[in-house]
Amino acid sequence: MSSNVKTSTADRVVEIEIHRPEKKNALTGEMYEAMSAAFDRADEDPAVHVIFLHGQADCFTAGNDLADFLSAGRGEGVASPAAGFLAAIRTARKPVVAAVGGVAVGIGTTMLLHFDLVYAAPHSRFQMPFVPLGLAPEGGSSLLLPMLAGYQRAAELLLLGRPFGAEKAMAAGLVNEVIPAERLLAHAREAALAVAALPVESVRITKELLRRPHARALEERMAEELRLFGERLHSPEAKAAMGAFFERKKG
Ligand code: COA
């Protein structure tokens, strides 16, 4: 279990906290593995009804650790811990509630497309900078985002890859409600508890029915995205863009 991922269970809710604040909660392989394991355990445990995922009130996650991307071996994309986490959230049978405060970059935004209830603080900042980084969309975003937000909005967010705020995320359908930062975690936790108290079999059936129409297409698209992403990781464009991030930090 990673020390940067904290889990606890109470009142039929598994709470998973991403906790690496000194690196803006950037996700390492170990952290993905810890989160995947928590999702798998929740899925198997009949005493767990809901998963609640969050960072801190001022930071969700800056996405994949860019240093890990830079050192990734060839072909790693498809079998990586990140791919395992994406599979875990794609197949999660129990509802997932998320609270987003601060930055939600890359997979920090795309994972939300798989969740059931998403609450965000007014200052939260979303971004899918795959194209500026010389990469390719991941997390099923090339399929789910146009379905959710409409083609032009999805194209803007994925092609330009610029940061956007909570209101825009809500308009795109990524966020259910914008909640003041000081109440964000409590509000999202309350929602998780409310779902956890509902008839569990009705909840399960409803989530399954909601997901079913696109389940096969999503699985195929995510596999294709992973393959392309893995190829792009080794492109000169990606190496230059990610190298520039760390150079900027030194300068
Ligand atoms: N991978 C590795 N380290 C990261 C990181 C990432 N994705 N995001 C942030 N960090 C590190 C920074 O290098 C810095 O470390 P240092 O203090 O040792 O130099 C620390 O976290 C704080 O980040 P900083 O950039 O100073 O914070 P900020 O508030 O100015 O900016 C972000 C926050 C998230 C906007 C900015 O860090 C960023 O753009 N990160 C990269 C996001 C990204 O491209 N993710 C991958 C998407 S596919």
Side-chain angles (χ1 to χ4, degrees):
M1 180 60 69
S2 164
S3 56
N4 297 123
V5 172
K6 298 176 187 293
T7 60
S8 58
T9 308
D11 302 322
R12 295 176 282 205
V13 175
V14 164
E15 195 158 329
I16 306 174
E17 180 185 350
I18 309 170
H19 190 88
R20 196 188 176 205
E22 71 284 4
K23 294 287 180 189
K24 297 278 167 188
N25 288 346
L27 298 167
T28 61
E30 195 187 54
M31 291 164 74
Y32 284 122
E33 280 167 0
M35 293 195 294
S36 303
F39 268 74
D40 290 348
R41 278 198 307 275
D43 208 49
E44 295 298 317
D45 186 348
V48 169
H49 292 192
V50 173
I51 299 167
F52 173 34
L53 178 70
H54 59 86
Q56 297 70 51
D58 61 352
C59 182
F60 186 55
T61 168
N64 203 102
D65 190 296
L66 288 174
D68 282 5
F69 270 164
L70 275 172
S71 61
R74 281 197 184 276
E76 212 172 278
V78 184
S80 67
F85 175 66
L86 287 171
I89 60 177
R90 177 176 60 76
T91 56
R93 286 178 297 180
K94 305 204 171 149
V96 184
V97 177
V100 179
V103 288
V105 187
I107 196 169
T109 293
T110 60
M111 72 169 83
L112 305 175
L113 293 161
H114 299 262
F115 296 166
D116 302 282
L117 297 175
V118 178
Y119 300 97
H123 64 279
S124 51
R125 183 171 173 275
F126 303 79
Q127 189 179 10
M128 291 171 282
F130 307 116
V131 171
L133 285 173
L135 297 170
E138 47 81 314
S141 54
S142 66
L143 180 75
L144 295 176
L145 195 61
M147 267 167 35
L148 190 67
Y151 179 82
Q152 268 79 9
R153 249 194 294 229
E156 179 199 329
L157 300 179
L158 281 172
L159 284 175
L160 289 175
R162 289 184 182 147
F164 55 100
E167 291 299 333
K168 193 158 177 166
M170 200 160 83
L174 275 163
V175 164
N176 290 83
E177 211 175 332
V178 179
I179 304 293
E182 63 278 12
R183 289 202 288 112
L184 175 69
L185 292 179
H187 184 94
R189 191 173 289 117
E190 255 170 49
L193 289 168
V195 178
L198 291 167
V200 68
E201 190 56 11
S202 294
V203 169
R204 187 194 65 74
I205 290 168
T206 303
K207 176 159 178 162
E208 202 275 318
L209 287 172
L210 282 166
R211 301 275 154 163
R212 194 189 298 165
H214 311 293
R216 173 68 67 82
L218 182 59
E219 185 177 2
E220 288 171 4
R221 179 63 63 90
M222 285 173 76
E224 189 179 357
E225 286 178 350
L226 270 178
R227 183 179 59 73
L228 292 166
F229 196 98
E231 286 173 17
R232 295 301 299 159
L233 264 184
H234 302 285
S235 67
E237 288 171 335
K239 297 264 182 217
M242 289 187 278
F245 173 75
F246 291 110
E247 284 307 314
R248 179 178 64 88
K249 303 267 77 169
K250 283 186 209 153

